Amino acid sequence: GSEVLPSPEPNAEIETRSAQRLAARVLERERLQARLQELREKAETEREERRREAERRNAEAEKEREAWRKDLEEKKRREIELSIGRALEAPVREGGRVVGTVKVRVRGEEVLRRILARTRRSEGEVPFALDATGKLFTIDQEDRTKIEALPLDLPALAKQGAARQVLDDWVVVTSKDAESGLTFGIARSVPLEEVRRAAARNFGWGLGLIGLALLGILPLSTRMSRDVNVLTEAAERISHGELETRVPVRSKGELGKLALAFNRMAHDLREHQERLLDEERLGRERELEQRLLKTEYERKSKDLEEARRFQLSLLPKTLPVHPGFEIAVLMRTATEVGGDYYDFHLAEDGTLTAAIGDATGHGARAGTMVTAVKSLFTARSAEEGLSRFLGEAAGVIKRMDLGRMAMALSLVRLEGRTLTVSAAGMPPVLVYRKARRRVEEIALPGMPLGGLAFDYQETGTRVEPGDAILLLTDGLPELQNLEGEPLGYPRVRSLFEGLGDRGPEEIIAGLTGAAESWAGGQAAGDDVTLVVFKVR
């Protein structure tokens, strides 16, 4: 019945197991430390990424804030420009319809600088102006420095407009112009501190001598207080726009000097306001004058265009078609309404009567003369001889009493192979003879229609196939070159002689080309009209 106990393990085996457990704990600790280090590095990496992301977002936010600030500054700059310089715009109407717009752009800063520079500154006044945003405008940088050194709230002062402030040794008075939205002001250095010191000194002396001169000091103090109150009330009235306010000058001391300075400041403010009103009135008058000039110009241009269209309507719409002649015509007017005229009448028997004329001057009056001659030619040119027609037409125009207006006129009649010519003060009719390749002149004396009475003549000649006839006004021969030398009738005759074998259109093209080359590109001073007949 004895109990058997287990035998104890040897010490070596116990130590081995303890070493193994210790090694296992060491390995586990190292593994945990490695894991902890890995987590720390991961956390550090995440913190670095979050920091970079925050810096990126901050940089983007800063860019957005910078863009917002620039946009705000640009808007503010535009508002300031609009507040000191405006685009005056007014529609131009004609017959109740808007036909245009007049715009005037005013440089506000320059205008303000010139106006402020005209303010009297004999007593150290500093004129300035504020726009609606509180931006300060002065004559120069020195004045700007003085104003900025004063404890003024410029934006609040711009909104308030009319105000009066006394700042140390300065008196600042402002007035707002309701039309432009600008606030104008003048700052003047006044000896307020000296007045205060003098009052204090006098008060001290009064206390020292109160026992001896009480009755004399009390009236003096009362008078000084009354004068200061008068100045204060006057400044209040000026701040409300009563620029005619003045204060009485009762002494030659400090208060008297202050009253004089105050009165001069009020006077300068009044003159400043009147100059602004005068500038605005003159600007409006100039604008109105420009609008009136533009309207008058447009009206005259419209009248001249209508007169030009009317005169062109008096000319033949088409050239006559004749089996015996080819015809070409050119007319170039020097102004909107010229004084040249040409016309044709083709009778049933094939007789062709042509007229070419030149009224004195240009414009609407010349158009009136052309209208009268057109009416006479249309009504009577085919009923009688050419010279008789000229005589009767001269009498009719004379009786019309058109003043000093006159009309030079040439008439030619082509009947078969017979050419009849009559003229009233016109250049010669040129006839190119193909057989001899020479040019003949048919020149007849005569006074222009509407002038003195004259016995007009007519003459006849025979034309052959290939001959050419040129009727022209004096515009082509009198065309001048750059040296002022006219082309002249001999050159025109020589040019026509060299072109006589060509067709009518080619003859006119050759003459006009030579004329343009002679003039050198300068505009013609008179109307140019050419009529060419080519005998078939």
Side-chain angles (χ1 to χ4, degrees), residues 278-325:
D278 290 341
E279 290 286 343
E280 183 178 0
R281 178 181 55 81
L282 290 175
R284 291 179 178 177
E285 289 178 355
R286 285 193 292 267
E287 179 186 356
L288 179 59
E289 185 175 321
Q290 291 177 355
R291 291 172 60 186
L292 291 175
L293 288 174
K294 182 177 180 181
T295 302
E296 181 65 16
Y297 173 78
E298 291 176 350
R299 183 188 65 79
K300 289 183 177 179
S301 298
K302 182 179 179 181
D303 292 344
L304 287 174
E305 178 61 21
E306 291 178 353
R308 186 185 71 85
R309 288 198 298 265
F310 175 72
Q311 183 184 357
L312 292 177
S313 68
L314 298 177
L315 301 177
K317 302 299 185 294
T318 59
L319 298 179
V321 178
H322 195 283
F325 307 96

Coordinates of all heavy atoms in Angstrom, one line a residue, residues 278-325:
D278 N -20.1 125.9 -65.3 CA -19.8 126.5 -66.6 C -19.2 125.5 -67.5 O -19.5 125.4 -68.7 CB -18.8 127.7 -66.4 CG -19.5 128.9 -65.8 OD1 -20.7 129.0 -65.8 OD2 -18.8 129.8 -65.2
E279 N -18.3 124.6 -66.9 CA -17.7 123.6 -67.7 C -18.7 122.6 -68.2 O -18.7 122.2 -69.4 CB -16.6 122.8 -66.9 CG -15.4 123.6 -66.6 CD -14.5 123.7 -67.8 OE1 -14.6 123.0 -68.7 OE2 -13.6 124.6 -67.7
E280 N -19.7 122.2 -67.4 CA -20.7 121.3 -67.8 C -21.6 121.9 -68.8 O -22.0 121.3 -69.8 CB -21.5 120.9 -66.6 CG -22.6 119.9 -66.9 CD -23.4 119.5 -65.6 OE1 -23.0 120.0 -64.5 OE2 -24.3 118.7 -65.7
R281 N -21.9 123.2 -68.7 CA -22.8 123.9 -69.6 C -22.1 124.0 -71.0 O -22.7 123.7 -72.0 CB -23.1 125.3 -69.1 CG -24.0 126.1 -70.1 CD -24.3 127.5 -69.5 NE -23.0 128.2 -69.2 CZ -22.3 128.8 -70.1 NH1 -22.6 128.8 -71.4 NH2 -21.2 129.4 -69.7
L282 N -20.8 124.4 -71.0 CA -20.1 124.5 -72.3 C -20.0 123.1 -72.9 O -20.1 123.0 -74.2 CB -18.7 125.0 -72.0 CG -18.6 126.5 -71.6 CD1 -17.1 126.8 -71.3 CD2 -19.1 127.4 -72.7
G283 N -19.8 122.0 -72.1 CA -19.7 120.7 -72.7 C -21.1 120.3 -73.4 O -21.1 119.8 -74.5
R284 N -22.2 120.6 -72.7 CA -23.5 120.3 -73.3 C -23.7 121.2 -74.6 O -24.3 120.7 -75.5 CB -24.6 120.6 -72.3 CG -24.6 119.6 -71.1 CD -25.6 119.9 -70.1 NE -25.7 118.9 -69.1 CZ -26.5 118.9 -68.0 NH1 -27.3 119.9 -67.9 NH2 -26.4 118.0 -67.1
E285 N -23.3 122.4 -74.5 CA -23.5 123.3 -75.7 C -22.6 122.8 -76.9 O -23.1 122.7 -78.0 CB -23.0 124.7 -75.4 CG -24.0 125.5 -74.4 CD -23.5 126.9 -74.1 OE1 -22.4 127.2 -74.5 OE2 -24.3 127.6 -73.4
R286 N -21.4 122.3 -76.6 CA -20.6 121.8 -77.7 C -21.2 120.5 -78.2 O -21.2 120.3 -79.5 CB -19.2 121.5 -77.2 CG -18.3 122.7 -77.0 CD -16.9 122.4 -76.9 NE -16.6 121.7 -75.6 CZ -16.3 122.3 -74.5 NH1 -16.1 123.6 -74.4 NH2 -16.1 121.6 -73.4
E287 N -21.7 119.7 -77.3 CA -22.4 118.4 -77.8 C -23.6 118.7 -78.7 O -23.8 118.1 -79.7 CB -22.8 117.6 -76.6 CG -23.5 116.3 -76.9 CD -24.0 115.6 -75.7 OE1 -23.8 116.1 -74.6 OE2 -24.7 114.6 -75.9
L288 N -24.4 119.7 -78.2 CA -25.6 120.1 -79.0 C -25.2 120.7 -80.3 O -25.8 120.4 -81.4 CB -26.4 121.1 -78.2 CG -27.7 121.6 -78.9 CD1 -28.6 120.4 -79.2 CD2 -28.4 122.6 -78.0
E289 N -24.1 121.5 -80.3 CA -23.6 122.1 -81.6 C -23.2 121.0 -82.6 O -23.5 121.1 -83.8 CB -22.5 123.0 -81.3 CG -22.0 123.8 -82.5 CD -21.0 124.8 -82.1 OE1 -21.1 125.5 -81.0 OE2 -20.0 125.0 -82.9
Q290 N -22.5 120.0 -82.1 CA -22.0 118.9 -82.9 C -23.2 118.1 -83.5 O -23.2 117.7 -84.7 CB -21.1 118.0 -82.1 CG -19.8 118.6 -81.8 CD -18.9 117.7 -81.0 OE1 -19.4 116.6 -80.6 NE2 -17.7 118.1 -80.6
R291 N -24.2 117.9 -82.7 CA -25.4 117.2 -83.1 C -26.1 118.0 -84.2 O -26.6 117.4 -85.2 CB -26.3 116.9 -82.0 CG -25.8 115.9 -81.0 CD -26.6 115.8 -79.7 NE -28.0 115.4 -80.1 CZ -29.0 115.3 -79.2 NH1 -28.7 115.6 -77.9 NH2 -30.2 114.9 -79.5
L292 N -26.2 119.3 -84.0 CA -26.9 120.2 -85.0 C -26.1 120.2 -86.3 O -26.7 120.1 -87.4 CB -27.0 121.6 -84.5 CG -28.0 121.8 -83.3 CD1 -28.0 123.2 -82.8 CD2 -29.4 121.4 -83.8
L293 N -24.7 120.3 -86.2 CA -23.9 120.3 -87.4 C -24.1 118.9 -88.2 O -24.2 118.9 -89.4 CB -22.5 120.5 -87.1 CG -22.1 121.9 -86.6 CD1 -20.7 122.0 -86.2 CD2 -22.3 122.9 -87.7
K294 N -24.1 117.8 -87.5 CA -24.2 116.5 -88.1 C -25.6 116.4 -88.8 O -25.7 115.9 -89.9 CB -24.1 115.4 -87.1 CG -24.2 114.0 -87.7 CD -23.9 113.0 -86.6 CE -24.0 111.6 -87.2 NZ -23.8 110.5 -86.2
T295 N -26.6 116.9 -88.1 CA -28.0 116.8 -88.7 C -28.1 117.7 -89.9 O -28.6 117.3 -90.9 CB -29.0 117.3 -87.6 OG1 -28.9 116.5 -86.5 CG2 -30.4 117.2 -88.2
E296 N -27.5 118.9 -89.9 CA -27.5 119.8 -91.0 C -26.7 119.2 -92.2 O -27.2 119.2 -93.3 CB -26.9 121.2 -90.7 CG -26.9 122.2 -91.8 CD -28.3 122.6 -92.2 OE1 -29.3 122.3 -91.5 OE2 -28.4 123.2 -93.3
Y297 N -25.6 118.6 -91.9 CA -24.8 117.9 -92.9 C -25.6 116.8 -93.6 O -25.6 116.7 -94.8 CB -23.5 117.4 -92.4 CG -22.7 116.6 -93.3 CD1 -21.9 117.2 -94.3 CD2 -22.7 115.2 -93.2 CE1 -21.2 116.4 -95.2 CE2 -21.9 114.4 -94.1 CZ -21.2 115.0 -95.1 OH -20.5 114.3 -96.0
E298 N -26.2 116.0 -92.8 CA -27.0 114.9 -93.3 C -28.1 115.4 -94.1 O -28.5 114.8 -95.2 CB -27.5 114.0 -92.2 CG -26.4 113.2 -91.5 CD -26.9 112.5 -90.3 OE1 -28.1 112.7 -89.9 OE2 -26.1 111.6 -89.7
R299 N -28.8 116.5 -93.7 CA -29.9 117.0 -94.5 C -29.4 117.5 -95.8 O -30.0 117.3 -96.9 CB -30.5 118.2 -93.7 CG -31.8 118.8 -94.4 CD -32.3 120.0 -93.7 NE -31.3 121.1 -93.7 CZ -31.1 121.8 -94.8 NH1 -31.8 121.7 -95.9 NH2 -30.2 122.8 -94.8
K300 N -28.3 118.3 -95.8 CA -27.8 118.8 -97.1 C -27.3 117.7 -98.0 O -27.5 117.7 -99.2 CB -26.6 119.8 -96.8 CG -27.1 121.1 -96.2 CD -25.9 122.0 -96.0 CE -26.3 123.3 -95.4 NZ -25.2 124.3 -95.2
S301 N -26.7 116.7 -97.4 CA -26.3 115.5 -98.2 C -27.5 114.8 -98.9 O -27.4 114.4 -100.0 CB -25.5 114.5 -97.4 OG -24.3 115.1 -96.9
K302 N -28.5 114.7 -98.1 CA -29.7 114.1 -98.6 C -30.3 114.9 -99.8 O -30.8 114.4 -100.8 CB -30.8 113.9 -97.5 CG -32.0 113.2 -98.0 CD -33.0 113.0 -96.8 CE -34.3 112.3 -97.3 NZ -35.2 112.2 -96.1
D303 N -30.4 116.3 -99.5 CA -30.9 117.2 -100.6 C -30.1 117.1 -101.9 O -30.6 117.0 -103.0 CB -31.0 118.6 -100.1 CG -32.0 118.8 -98.9 OD1 -32.9 117.9 -98.8 OD2 -31.9 119.8 -98.2
L304 N -28.7 117.1 -101.7 CA -27.9 117.0 -102.9 C -28.0 115.7 -103.6 O -28.0 115.7 -104.9 CB -26.4 117.2 -102.5 CG -26.0 118.7 -102.1 CD1 -24.6 118.7 -101.6 CD2 -26.2 119.6 -103.3
E305 N -28.2 114.6 -102.9 CA -28.3 113.3 -103.5 C -29.7 113.3 -104.3 O -29.7 112.7 -105.4 CB -28.3 112.2 -102.4 CG -28.5 110.8 -103.0 CD -27.5 110.4 -104.0 OE1 -26.4 111.0 -104.0 OE2 -27.8 109.5 -104.8
E306 N -30.7 113.8 -103.7 CA -32.0 113.9 -104.4 C -31.9 114.7 -105.6 O -32.5 114.4 -106.7 CB -33.1 114.4 -103.4 CG -33.4 113.5 -102.3 CD -34.5 114.0 -101.4 OE1 -34.8 115.2 -101.5 OE2 -34.9 113.3 -100.5
A307 N -31.2 115.9 -105.5 CA -31.0 116.7 -106.7 C -30.2 116.0 -107.8 O -30.5 116.1 -109.0 CB -30.3 118.0 -106.3
R308 N -29.2 115.3 -107.4 CA -28.3 114.5 -108.3 C -29.2 113.5 -109.1 O -29.1 113.3 -110.3 CB -27.2 113.9 -107.6 CG -26.2 113.2 -108.5 CD -25.1 112.5 -107.7 NE -25.7 111.3 -107.1 CZ -25.8 110.1 -107.7 NH1 -25.4 110.0 -109.0 NH2 -26.3 109.1 -107.1
R309 N -30.0 112.7 -108.3 CA -30.8 111.7 -108.9 C -31.8 112.4 -109.9 O -32.1 111.8 -110.9 CB -31.6 110.9 -107.8 CG -30.6 110.0 -107.1 CD -31.5 108.9 -106.3 NE -32.3 109.5 -105.4 CZ -32.0 109.6 -104.1 NH1 -30.9 109.2 -103.6 NH2 -32.9 110.1 -103.2
F310 N -32.3 113.5 -109.5 CA -33.3 114.2 -110.3 C -32.7 114.6 -111.6 O -33.2 114.5 -112.7 CB -33.9 115.4 -109.6 CG -34.8 116.2 -110.5 CD1 -36.1 115.8 -110.8 CD2 -34.4 117.5 -111.0 CE1 -36.9 116.5 -111.6 CE2 -35.2 118.2 -111.8 CZ -36.5 117.8 -112.1
Q311 N -31.4 115.2 -111.5 CA -30.8 115.7 -112.8 C -30.4 114.5 -113.7 O -30.6 114.5 -114.9 CB -29.5 116.4 -112.4 CG -28.8 116.9 -113.7 CD -27.4 117.6 -113.4 OE1 -27.1 117.7 -112.2 NE2 -26.7 118.0 -114.4
L312 N -30.0 113.4 -113.1 CA -29.7 112.2 -113.9 C -31.0 111.6 -114.6 O -30.9 111.1 -115.7 CB -29.1 111.1 -113.0 CG -27.7 111.4 -112.5 CD1 -27.2 110.3 -111.6 CD2 -26.7 111.6 -113.6
S313 N -32.1 111.8 -113.9 CA -33.3 111.4 -114.5 C -33.7 112.2 -115.7 O -34.5 111.8 -116.6 CB -34.5 111.4 -113.5 OG -34.8 112.8 -113.1
L314 N -33.1 113.5 -115.8 CA -33.4 114.3 -117.0 C -32.6 113.8 -118.2 O -33.0 114.2 -119.4 CB -33.0 115.8 -116.7 CG -33.8 116.4 -115.5 CD1 -33.3 117.8 -115.3 CD2 -35.3 116.5 -115.8
L315 N -31.6 113.1 -118.0 CA -30.8 112.6 -119.2 C -31.4 111.5 -119.8 O -32.2 110.8 -119.2 CB -29.4 112.2 -118.7 CG -28.6 113.3 -118.0 CD1 -27.2 112.8 -117.5 CD2 -28.4 114.5 -118.9
P316 N -31.1 111.2 -121.1 CA -31.7 110.1 -121.8 C -31.4 108.8 -121.1 O -30.3 108.5 -120.7 CB -31.1 110.1 -123.2 CG -30.6 111.5 -123.4 CD -30.2 112.0 -122.0
K317 N -32.5 107.9 -121.0 CA -32.3 106.6 -120.4 C -31.5 105.7 -121.3 O -30.7 104.8 -120.8 CB -33.6 106.0 -120.0 CG -34.5 106.9 -119.1 CD -33.8 107.1 -117.8 CE -34.7 107.9 -116.8 NZ -34.9 109.2 -117.3
T318 N -31.7 105.8 -122.6 CA -31.0 105.0 -123.6 C -30.6 105.9 -124.7 O -31.1 107.0 -124.9 CB -31.9 103.9 -124.1 OG1 -33.1 104.4 -124.7 CG2 -32.3 102.9 -123.0
L319 N -29.6 105.4 -125.5 CA -29.1 106.2 -126.6 C -29.9 105.8 -127.9 O -30.4 104.7 -128.0 CB -27.6 105.9 -126.9 CG -26.6 106.3 -125.8 CD1 -25.2 105.9 -126.2 CD2 -26.7 107.8 -125.5
P320 N -30.2 106.8 -128.8 CA -31.0 106.5 -130.0 C -30.3 105.4 -130.8 O -29.0 105.3 -130.9 CB -31.0 107.8 -130.7 CG -30.7 108.8 -129.7 CD -29.8 108.2 -128.7
V321 N -31.1 104.6 -131.4 CA -30.6 103.6 -132.4 C -30.8 104.1 -133.8 O -32.0 104.3 -134.2 CB -31.2 102.2 -132.2 CG1 -30.7 101.2 -133.2 CG2 -30.9 101.7 -130.7
H322 N -29.8 104.4 -134.6 CA -29.9 105.0 -135.9 C -29.1 104.1 -136.9 O -28.0 103.8 -136.6 CB -29.4 106.4 -135.9 CG -29.8 107.2 -137.0 ND1 -29.3 107.1 -138.3 CD2 -30.8 108.2 -137.1 CE1 -29.8 108.0 -139.1 NE2 -30.8 108.6 -138.4
P323 N -29.7 103.9 -138.1 CA -29.0 103.0 -139.0 C -27.8 103.7 -139.6 O -26.9 103.1 -140.1 CB -30.1 102.8 -140.1 CG -31.1 103.9 -140.0 CD -31.1 104.2 -138.5
G324 N -27.7 105.1 -139.6 CA -26.6 105.8 -140.2 C -25.5 106.2 -139.3 O -24.5 106.7 -139.7
F325 N -25.7 106.0 -137.9 CA -24.7 106.5 -137.0 C -24.6 105.6 -135.8 O -25.6 104.9 -135.4 CB -25.1 107.9 -136.5 CG -25.4 108.9 -137.6 CD1 -26.7 109.2 -138.0 CD2 -24.4 109.6 -138.2 CE1 -27.0 110.1 -139.0 CE2 -24.6 110.5 -139.2 CZ -25.9 110.7 -139.6

